[in-house]
Amino acid sequence: MRDPQSISVNDDARLVPVWSIVVAIAAFVLVEYYFWLILPTQTHHLAPIGFRIYFNLSWGVLASLYFLMVGYVSKDAPRRAMSARFWIAICFVMPGGIGAVLYFLLRQPEVSRCPACSTHVQSDFHFCPQCDYHLAANCGNCFRTVRATDQFCTRCGHELARDQMPARLRVLGQ
Ligand SMILES: [Zn+2]
Ligand SMILES: [Zn+2]
């Protein structure tokens, strides 16, 4: 199946940028450093070692996940024509990962660019709204997306071979 997203001209496929991985590792090391070396010198009553390992590692992982999340948002938001700066700010301001949850609830469909005219197109478009470029194979009867190798539409049973050649296979011939 030809995925409409694969026509995206996005050259960097990595979803989590290097800087956020570096910051995440640094955050983990800092948190461990603080909990293992700084905090014990300030408290006289130390919890059992098993509890401390669990507690300290959990906070370290949480801190690094936080920065990985921000990195992901900075990459993912532009693909959806959303403001990366705005959503990174939301992720920082909202406590306890609520910003990230909001992002996933509210994010827009992915957009890519039409290979013919570079117009922004959403991943569920069948045709480019500006130049009529055929972005995805679709049924000639109900116009839902079909795989280019299908013989019949999975939604309405329409025999795809009856369509005009371009309706189903133009995508293959590109
Ligand atoms: Zn176009
Ligand atoms: Zn159909």
Side-chain angles (χ1 to χ4, degrees):
M1 176 180 174
R2 188 188 169 96
D3 184 0
Q5 289 164 15
S6 67
I7 59 173
S8 163
V9 290
N10 190 357
D11 45 348
D12 189 0
R14 234 189 342 247
L15 273 177
V16 179
V18 175
W19 66 262
S20 90
I21 295 173
V22 173
V23 175
I25 293 171
F28 183 81
V29 172
L30 266 179
V31 168
E32 298 309 306
Y33 173 76
Y34 176 76
F35 277 122
W36 289 112
L37 298 173
I38 307 290
L39 200 61
T41 63
Q42 294 171 351
T43 52
H44 301 290
H45 182 76
L46 282 175
I49 185 69
F51 177 79
R52 284 171 66 204
I53 290 174
Y54 171 76
F55 183 83
N56 296 1
L57 286 182
S58 301
W59 278 110
V61 167
L62 264 182
S64 43
L65 274 181
Y66 193 74
F67 287 103
L68 288 177
M69 186 64 231
V70 169
Y72 175 77
V73 168
S74 78
K75 275 285 199 180
D76 190 56
R79 296 193 312 150
R80 297 163 193 277
M82 295 164 72
S83 164
R85 278 186 204 171
F86 173 76
W87 281 103
I88 288 174
I90 293 287
C91 285
F92 268 116
V93 170
M94 298 288 211
I98 293 175
V101 172
L102 271 183
Y103 175 76
F104 281 108
L105 286 178
L106 297 175
R107 68 180 184 174
Q108 304 292 311
E110 247 179 83
V111 291
S112 51
R113 282 177 183 278
C114 169
C117 71
S118 294
T119 300
H120 280 294
V121 290
Q122 289 182 14
S123 55
D124 56 345
F125 285 3
H126 292 147
F127 293 91
C128 171
Q130 293 299 324
C131 72
D132 198 31
Y133 187 86
H134 201 192
L135 298 165
N138 61 303
C139 169
N141 180 47
C142 70
F143 301 106
R144 307 232 193 205
T145 303
V146 296
R147 286 175 296 233
T149 51
D150 287 350
Q151 297 302 311
F152 295 90
C153 173
T154 57
R155 302 293 181 128
C156 72
H158 176 67
E159 188 178 359
L160 298 171
R162 289 164 171 266
D163 292 341
Q164 293 277 320
M165 193 62 173
R168 183 171 69 107
L169 292 180
R170 203 184 340 169
V171 172
L172 279 186
Q174 278 165 15

